Amino acid sequence: MSRAGSLREPLAAAARTLAAAGLVRATSGNVSARDGDRVAVTPTGAVLAELTSEQVVVVGLDGAALEGEGRPTSELPLHLGVIERFGAGAVVHTHPPVGTALSLVIDELPCVHYEMHALGGAVRVAPYRTFGTPELAEGVLDALEGRSAALMANHGAITFGDDLAQAVERAHLLEWVCTLYWRAAAIGEPRALGADAMDAVRAQLHAKDYRSMLDMSG
Ligand SMILES: [Zn+2]
């Protein structure tokens, strides 16, 4: 089994975790993880809540199928684009209830909580494009510049990280922040944190040596 082959079970487990949390439903959403020049990805058409390691597909960085019988997710070009452009170790694309709802309305999720330092600050909303197209991937990649998360207009959300655990945690964090913003906006105008406040957060993390939390600031 290749090194990326060893990612097949963790990848399936991540997909099941996202489904159990309600961030993906049925066959929507997809996950990838890189090991060297190979990438393990969820297959198209699979129910993520029941995904097994045998169903996970392994492709090369050029998208060529290497292991597994199914076809890779239709969003494979998006995943490979994030891996290539940002050096991501793992990519998580979800259709989360609140994040997707906000993507119908807002152009950017303001930086309303200091935990958003892990996402790179305010989260952009990429323009709507048909799923699985190069145009969608291009818009999302631009929205991710300097960030580790983006919303996708009338579609969903995407996060990436150094590894699966970090990318999945950021997917949970993004949906939590979206929920926070939605609740606050229902009762008033949410206050956003400015650049000075976020600089101070990063300085405090350095001072406290919270190395594992210095996701986007290094
Ligand atoms: Zn999607």
Side-chain angles (χ1 to χ4, degrees):
M1 183 178 285
S2 74
R3 286 159 66 224
S6 66
L7 283 173
R8 288 169 87 177
E9 176 47 35
L11 194 90
R16 295 193 301 265
T17 297
L18 292 164
L23 298 186
V24 298
R25 53 169 296 280
T27 60
S28 73
N30 28 76
V31 185
S32 66
R34 174 186 184 175
D35 190 350
D37 57 1
R38 291 175 169 235
V39 180
V41 294
T42 48
T44 189
V47 176
L48 294 194
E50 301 166 355
L51 197 71
T52 65
S53 56
E54 291 75 29
Q55 291 175 285
V56 173
V57 181
V58 178
V59 301
L61 291 173
D62 59 358
L66 300 174
E67 292 178 35
E69 295 181 356
R71 284 189 299 125
T73 167
S74 55
E75 300 294 4
L76 181 63
L78 172 60
H79 286 259
L80 294 178
V82 174
I83 287 168
E84 182 185 16
R85 183 149 151 190
F86 304 109
V91 184
V92 170
H93 165 52
T94 57
H95 293 181
V98 181
T100 306
L102 291 185
S103 82
L104 314 186
V105 179
I106 63 174
D107 296 318
E108 184 175 79
L109 175 67
C111 189
V112 289
H113 195 283
Y114 78 87
E115 282 196 62
M116 289 178 75
H117 79 85
L119 307 179
V123 175
R124 301 186 191 96
V125 181
Y128 178 79
R129 298 288 184 269
T130 307
F131 79 93
T133 60
E135 291 76 19
L136 175 71
E138 188 181 334
V140 173
L141 289 176
D142 286 347
L144 282 170
E145 196 62 52
R147 306 286 189 270
S148 64
L151 294 172
M152 298 156 63
N154 302 71
H155 183 152
I158 186 166
T159 55
F160 70 85
D162 294 335
D163 53 28
L164 266 174
Q166 191 176 54
V168 168
E169 162 53 24
R170 286 173 176 171
H172 286 286
L173 173 61
L174 177 58
E175 180 66 354
W176 180 79
V177 175
C178 285
T179 306
L180 181 72
Y181 178 84
W182 166 57
R183 286 175 169 155
I187 53 175
E189 180 72 24
R191 273 192 303 275
L193 298 172
D196 288 353
M198 294 308 285
D199 286 346
V201 168
R202 278 182 278 273
Q204 181 74 338
L205 289 168
H206 274 292
K208 300 287 187 185
D209 202 25
Y210 290 145
R211 294 291 173 205
S212 66
M213 293 176 68
L214 287 169
D215 299 308
M216 297 297 295
S217 56

